[in-house]
Amino acid sequence: MSKKDRQIIESSGNVFADLGFERNEAENLLVRARLMAAIKAYIETEGITQREAAERFNVAQPRISEIYRGKIELFSTDNLINMLARVGRHVEISINVAA
């Protein structure tokens, strides 16, 4: 494909919607992805190993590895929020009218 044939499509703001997921599933996936990113950011900011993170989050070490590997289907929103709460993080939800 030449540069001339390429088409640039503006993002909707939700990569999962852009990939073709149904609206409700795309919203759920986006929330979980953001929560997983917050967990990874916490681990990296703290400079701790996955083993140490597992202890802090009160989960088995393979669960931390699954977060790093992006295994989003293995985590519920509740589970991710609970993990963040265990390390003193507060999660806020913002509700807006869909575009």
Side-chain angles (χ1 to χ4, degrees):
M1 179 183 291
S2 70
K3 287 184 180 181
K4 185 177 175 182
D5 296 331
R6 293 183 189 163
Q7 181 181 11
I8 297 173
I9 300 171
E10 189 172 334
S11 172
S12 68
N14 182 331
V15 66
F16 300 103
D18 295 344
L19 290 171
F21 287 92
E22 295 290 328
R23 176 180 278 175
N24 60 337
E25 186 175 6
E27 290 294 329
N28 189 291
L29 288 166
L30 183 61
V31 168
R32 287 188 282 158
R34 287 179 175 167
L35 293 168
M36 290 172 74
I39 290 169
K40 285 177 62 175
Y42 170 84
I43 294 167
E44 291 165 8
T45 299
E46 292 292 309
I48 58 177
T49 66
Q50 287 189 15
R51 184 177 192 194
E52 292 168 320
E55 290 174 10
R56 292 188 190 185
F57 288 112
N58 195 30
V59 297
Q61 184 279 324
R63 294 296 278 165
I64 302 298
S65 180
E66 290 165 348
I67 288 172
Y68 269 85
R69 292 192 336 251
K71 299 291 186 173
I72 197 167
E73 70 279 3
L74 300 179
F75 294 89
S76 69
T77 303
D78 285 350
N79 184 258
L80 295 166
I81 290 171
N82 290 336
M83 287 176 69
L84 287 163
R86 287 184 194 117
V87 294
R89 296 300 188 258
H90 174 74
V91 176
E92 292 187 17
I93 305 290
S94 176
I95 310 298
N96 300 303
V97 176

